[in-house]
């Protein structure tokens, strides 16, 4: 099967909102009036971002999900995406599963594939996603204000726990491992919550490299500090798969796990009721975990609000 047969069979679909979609040198798109475009790009490399044993359907899902999570962090509505694939060979069974997972998620969020590229080489998946927000309503990392409350969506740490199990560093009951692996390989982008937080959240980021690391990006961009109450984080360790783990491992998974694709955001204490309403309307739990300070430092608080020493590290592609 040749390159263009591959595209025709597994990826070409009629354009929905694009003026010109797959089949030309460029896709053409007309922005919605009164909106700004939001773009993001992510690359998934075999052996670095996913294991060779991953179900191709889940991999198709995750490849788009990590990009939709970036749009969610900006409060954007997904519109379209470009897909570039490097494939060792044209494996029809793999392509069928991958495209099925990809399009199931794209259809769920109304985000259409409008172009891209394919080539032969090591397995590498690169997606550029496009969304939009009403003029001036994008949620950026740079908007956190001293006194803001800090929140996270969903629950954290399952993906890191699965990775520890794959590494042989922890032994899990089969049912727990299966649940943790599913969270690692098939994350849920919080698109609806991101949109619901427009005008409420002052700053936001998605959690791809670990809570502390991604919160650190917000603090740096906003020129502020933060206090995280590790006791407030405890409920996050009692959901999902972490209830079965020793406390220290569970805390590590929550604070520096990565691959969660949840949202961390700040909002004024006066907006607490609005935050909860956004959570309820999108059926997405949120947990208050701390506050923004003027200290220029990220501090972890333990029992009786006393600072504790942190040795937690977030993921770094080049570390």
């Amino acid at each position: 099967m040749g390159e263009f047969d591959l595209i025709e069979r597994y990826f070409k679909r009629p354009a929905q909102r694009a003026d010109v979609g797959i089949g030309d040198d460029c896709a053409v798109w007309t922005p919605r009036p009164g909106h700004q475009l939001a773009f993001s790009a992510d690359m998934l490399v075999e052996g670095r971002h996913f294991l060779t044993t991953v179900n191709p359907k889940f991999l198709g899902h995750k490849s788009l999900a990590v990009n939709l999570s970036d749009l969610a962090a900006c409060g954007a509505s997904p519109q379209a995406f470009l897909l570039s694939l490097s494939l060792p060979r044209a494996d029809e069974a793999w392509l069928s599963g991958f495209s099925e997972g990809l399009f199931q998620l794209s259809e769920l969020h109304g985000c259409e594939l409008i172009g891209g590229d394919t080539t032969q080489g090591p397995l590498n998946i690169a997606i550029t996603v496009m969304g939009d927000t009403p003029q001036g309503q994008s949620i950026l990392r740079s908007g956190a204000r001293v006194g803001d409350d800090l929140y996270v969506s969903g629950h954290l740490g399952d993906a890191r726990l699965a990775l520890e199990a794959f590494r042989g560093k922890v032994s899990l009951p089969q049912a727990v491992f299966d649940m943790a692996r599913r969270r690692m390989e098939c994350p849920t982008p919080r698109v609806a919550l991101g949109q619901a937080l427009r005008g409420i959240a002052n700053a936001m980021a998605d959690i791809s490299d670990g809570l502390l690391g991604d919160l650190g990006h917000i603090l740096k961009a906003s020129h502020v500090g933060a206090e995280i109450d590790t006791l407030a984080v405890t409920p996050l360790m009692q959901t999902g798969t972490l209830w079965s783990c020793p406390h220290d491992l569970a805390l590590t998974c929550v604070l520096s796990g990565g691959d969660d694709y949840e949202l961390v955001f700040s909002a004024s204490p006066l907006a607490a009721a609005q935050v909860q309403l956004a959570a309820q309307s999108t059926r997405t739990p949120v947990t208050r975990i701390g506050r923004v300070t003027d200290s220029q430092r990220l501090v972890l608080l333990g029992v009786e609000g006393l600072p504790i020493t942190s040795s937690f590290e977030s993921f770094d592609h080049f570390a």
Side-chain angles (χ1 to χ4, degrees):
M1 178 170 50
E3 175 185 0
F4 297 104
D5 292 332
L6 183 158
I7 294 170
E8 185 77 26
R9 183 179 304 181
Y10 294 105
F11 298 107
K12 186 172 183 179
R13 293 188 169 192
Q16 300 297 316
R17 292 191 297 273
D19 301 307
V20 178
I22 293 174
D24 223 301
D25 288 316
C26 290
V28 179
W29 187 276
T30 301
R32 292 193 290 176
H35 286 69
Q36 294 175 294
L37 293 180
F39 296 89
S40 184
D42 264 297
M43 183 184 302
L44 299 184
V45 178
E46 185 178 42
R48 188 62 172 172
H49 300 100
F50 60 91
L51 304 175
T52 57
T53 55
V54 65
N55 183 320
K57 181 177 178 180
F58 292 167
L59 183 57
H61 171 103
K62 183 172 183 176
S63 298
L64 182 57
V66 302
N67 286 270
L68 293 179
S69 183
D70 286 331
L71 291 184
C74 194
S77 302
Q79 299 295 329
F81 68 101
L82 304 173
L83 168 68
S84 294
L85 273 177
S86 171
L87 298 168
R89 61 190 180 281
D91 182 327
E92 295 190 33
W94 188 94
L95 285 162
S96 178
F98 178 86
S99 59
E100 181 183 359
L102 181 81
F103 283 123
Q104 281 185 355
L105 188 63
S106 74
E107 290 169 0
L108 179 64
H109 292 283
C111 189
E112 62 178 312
L113 177 61
I114 59 174
D117 190 25
T118 58
T119 189
Q120 188 174 30
L123 183 55
N124 183 12
I125 305 154
I127 285 180
T128 299
V129 72
M130 179 180 73
D132 64 12
T133 58
Q135 189 77 29
Q137 293 189 34
S138 298
I139 307 172
L140 307 179
R141 294 176 176 179
S142 57
R145 303 166 186 168
V146 174
D148 277 0
D149 289 327
L150 288 170
Y151 297 88
V152 294
S153 69
H155 55 271
L156 310 177
D158 296 315
R160 172 63 179 270
L161 183 62
L163 183 60
E164 294 300 294
F166 274 118
R167 290 172 170 171
K169 294 184 177 181
V170 61
S171 178
L172 301 174
Q174 188 63 47
V176 174
F177 172 70
D178 289 344
M179 184 185 303
R181 180 177 183 178
R182 181 64 179 263
R183 283 274 292 168
M184 179 178 75
E185 296 180 342
C186 203
T188 301
R190 301 300 188 180
V191 175
L193 178 63
Q195 295 173 28
L197 287 170
R198 290 196 298 242
I200 300 172
N202 290 329
M204 189 151 61
D206 82 321
I207 303 173
S208 55
D209 297 330
L211 170 59
L212 296 186
D214 290 308
L215 173 58
H217 298 320
I218 290 177
L219 303 183
K220 182 177 180 180
S222 299
H223 307 290
V224 294
E227 293 177 347
I228 301 298
D229 183 354
T230 58
L231 298 182
V233 170
T234 300
L236 300 176
M237 297 160 24
Q238 297 171 341
T239 58
T241 59
L242 297 181
W243 58 268
S244 63
C245 301
H247 179 271
D248 288 349
L249 174 59
L251 189 60
T252 296
C253 290
V254 167
L255 294 180
S256 60
D259 255 11
D260 293 305
Y261 299 102
E262 297 290 351
L263 299 176
V264 54
F265 61 96
S266 80
S268 167
L270 299 177
Q274 292 173 280
V275 169
Q276 293 304 320
L277 183 60
Q280 293 168 10
S281 67
T282 60
R283 299 181 181 180
T284 309
V286 299
T287 303
R288 183 189 177 279
I289 59 168
R291 68 186 185 94
V292 177
T293 70
D294 61 1
S295 68
Q296 304 290 314
R297 295 183 298 123
L298 176 54
V299 178
L300 299 181
L301 303 179
V303 178
E304 297 182 354
L306 298 176
I308 61 175
T309 302
S310 169
S311 59
F312 301 104
E313 296 181 355
S314 60
F315 180 78
D316 184 331
H317 287 89
F318 292 96

